[in-house]
Amino acid sequence: MDHFFLIAGAGLLAGAMNALAGGGSFVTIPALIAAGVPSVQANASSTVALFPGGLASAWVYRDGLQPLGNVSMRLLLLITLIGGILGAVLLLLTSAQTFDHLLPWLLLIATIVLSFGRQFGEWLRRHVHIKPAAVLIAQFVLGIYGGYFGGAVGIMMMAVWSVLTNRDLKTLNPPRTIMVSTANGIAALTFIIAHAVYWHETLIMLVAAIIGGYGGARIARFALPQAVRVATLILTFGITAAFFVRAYG
């Protein structure tokens, strides 16, 4: 009970963040580490805790799936699934000390993508044409990243996909949500089988994240998108800087 409010509060905030702008793992992983969970297991537990919220979103979007150019959804799902398994296994093979030094860099990558991912996708669409085979390779790599860490992986996917189609970015939300849930789901299952989940903390965070996700969805109806984005980026930059100090300070 010493860390109950820390874990529950982080779950509430992360659920709301994911509903509003993404970046919930920026809150859950540090909270679990602060509660005494080793960093690798904190990442695994965070994935399991946040998965139900993502699954609920995927269910809502289930009717919005369409092929991306010449790439079928089934093939993308299969590639993402395989990549997610490999990423989860790689995480479990990473020592806590190594992951402690990798985590700030992973957070930095995710922060940069949260900041500039959409603009990068638009630039790609104007200047680059990627063949379907290259997209599948990129999707495999992103599946590995999603299973290993996953921060901002959905925005990364949309940036890559945007070069295949002229569809509005909003229409890419359904496949993004499904693919992210696929990578997270297979990673969560792998972590559970490997007994890498701290269940007491995870269940508290899971319930709180569902409540936070519902509240975040309600807030999204009247919140100013730019204000939400600025607040999210300030938080993510601050947490990233703190983890660099923790690892190298």
Side-chain angles (χ1 to χ4, degrees):
M1 292 297 294
D2 291 345
H3 299 102
F4 174 84
F5 292 105
L6 171 64
I7 297 297
L12 283 169
L13 180 57
M17 287 177 64
N18 283 342
L20 289 165
S25 58
F26 277 85
V27 177
T28 53
I29 294 175
L32 287 165
I33 292 174
V37 180
S39 57
V40 170
Q41 286 75 18
N43 192 13
S45 299
S46 170
T47 299
V48 174
L50 295 180
F51 174 66
L55 186 63
S57 297
W59 178 257
V60 172
Y61 281 131
R62 68 190 185 281
D63 295 328
L65 293 179
Q66 300 175 9
L68 293 172
N70 295 323
V71 182
S72 72
M73 284 293 102
R74 289 183 179 180
L75 188 54
L76 277 177
L77 277 170
L78 178 61
I79 292 294
T80 305
L81 187 71
I82 296 171
I85 294 173
L86 289 177
V89 172
L90 283 173
L91 177 67
L92 294 174
L93 293 176
T94 304
S95 68
Q97 183 177 7
T98 299
F99 190 73
D100 282 342
H101 285 83
L102 282 175
L103 184 56
W105 297 101
L106 293 170
L107 291 171
L108 180 61
I109 291 170
T111 299
I112 292 172
V113 173
L114 282 172
S115 302
F116 306 108
R118 296 185 187 279
Q119 295 92 321
F120 179 62
E122 293 172 0
W123 180 88
L124 277 176
R125 189 164 58 251
R126 290 195 302 268
H127 296 92
V128 180
H129 176 71
I130 300 178
K131 295 182 178 180
V135 171
L136 291 175
I137 294 172
Q139 186 68 21
F140 178 66
V141 174
L142 290 172
I144 294 174
Y145 173 79
Y148 190 88
F149 177 65
V153 67
I155 297 176
M156 295 179 189
M157 290 181 185
M158 291 175 71
V160 173
W161 297 344
S162 66
V163 302
L164 279 183
T165 176
N166 291 324
R167 285 161 50 183
D168 185 89
L169 287 179
K170 287 184 178 180
T171 68
L172 295 179
N173 270 326
R176 171 191 65 84
T177 305
I178 296 294
M179 297 305 160
V180 171
S181 294
T182 297
N184 287 344
I186 195 62
L189 180 60
T190 303
F191 298 146
I192 291 170
I193 293 173
H195 303 289
V197 178
Y198 276 55
W199 282 110
H200 178 70
E201 292 83 355
T202 299
L203 290 175
I204 294 172
M205 186 170 281
L206 186 153
V207 173
I210 292 174
I211 298 171
Y214 176 80
R218 302 281 291 185
I219 293 171
R221 294 183 177 182
F222 58 85
L224 295 175
Q226 191 59 30
V228 172
R229 176 177 171 78
V230 170
T232 300
L233 291 179
I234 290 173
L235 179 63
T236 56
F237 271 106
I239 291 173
T240 300
F243 269 84
F244 268 103
V245 172
R246 176 178 178 268
Y248 301 102

